[in-house]
Amino acid sequence: MKIFQGLYPPYFYKEKAYKRNDSASVPVDSLELSRLILEGQNCSYDSLPSHASNLHFSILEKALQKKIGIEKLTPDLLITLGLREKNGKYTNAGALFADENDYRGIDLVKFGDNINVMLDRAQIEKVSVLKLYQDALQKYRQYYQNEVIDGAYRRKK
């Protein structure tokens, strides 16, 4: 017998929430329950309306100008990218890509001999996910990328 996942997760039984995991039903925690409810409504967190307003996207605009050659990041393009709704409200994805936001960000750490020794640490908060990504790449390159001379050529490794 083969049992397929239902159309509207999560599934409740005796006031507990469950999800399908391969051939078993497993209980879910509150975070997974929220995700499953959104999934059952064919939504995702990033597509929900954000409480943020008056957002700016200069970091995203520069990245898109460089990568795909746009001239300006227009409201219509923000709608196409799913960062803004037609009614003018921003989505959670829009808030994440905004130059400034209310999200916690990341904590980048270069450890020493063990996790009790921190050689370098950068806490980056309330900025665009693109800025978080760029700063994480910069730290990675700082500590884990080097130049190797191979014959007459120099290359980054």
Side-chain angles (χ1 to χ4, degrees):
M1 179 164 68
K2 194 170 193 176
I3 300 173
F4 295 94
Q5 179 173 334
L7 298 175
Y8 306 105
Y11 314 108
F12 292 91
Y13 178 71
K14 293 187 179 182
E15 298 182 20
K16 283 194 101 173
Y18 295 85
K19 72 174 185 173
R20 294 295 295 167
N21 188 7
D22 198 19
S23 62
S25 293
V26 294
V28 296
D29 61 17
S30 60
L31 182 63
E32 181 69 2
L33 176 60
S34 298
R35 190 191 66 73
L36 287 170
I37 289 171
L38 288 173
E39 182 182 305
Q41 296 172 348
N42 199 24
C43 291
S44 60
Y45 172 78
D46 57 317
S47 67
L48 295 175
S50 171
H51 68 278
S53 60
N54 197 25
L55 300 177
H56 303 281
F57 299 93
S58 62
I59 296 169
L60 176 61
E61 185 175 59
K62 287 177 188 172
L64 291 175
Q65 286 170 341
K66 184 178 178 180
K67 288 289 182 189
I68 62 173
I70 68 161
E71 289 183 27
K72 186 168 177 55
L73 190 57
T74 64
D76 285 341
L77 190 51
L78 289 172
I79 292 169
T80 301
L81 294 171
L83 306 179
R84 186 174 176 170
E85 297 176 337
K86 289 181 182 178
N87 64 12
K89 290 188 176 185
Y90 292 101
T91 62
N92 285 332
L96 284 165
F97 277 94
D99 296 342
E100 296 178 7
N101 58 47
D102 292 330
Y103 293 98
R104 295 204 50 195
I106 57 175
D107 191 2
L108 302 168
V109 179
K110 165 75 168 147
F111 290 107
D113 293 336
N114 60 56
I115 62 171
N116 296 323
V117 179
M118 292 185 210
L119 300 176
D120 187 18
R121 183 176 186 183
Q123 293 175 301
I124 309 161
E125 298 180 330
K126 301 182 186 238
V127 296
S128 170
V129 292
L130 287 176
K131 175 86 170 111
L132 295 176
Y133 176 71
Q134 292 163 353
D135 288 354
L137 277 179
Q138 181 182 357
K139 281 292 179 191
Y140 174 81
R141 289 181 181 124
Q142 178 182 348
Y143 290 108
Y144 300 105
Q145 191 177 51
N146 52 49
E147 290 187 10
V148 176
I149 297 174
D150 187 14
Y153 300 99
R154 182 186 311 185
R155 61 182 169 88
K156 288 189 178 183
K157 181 178 173 184

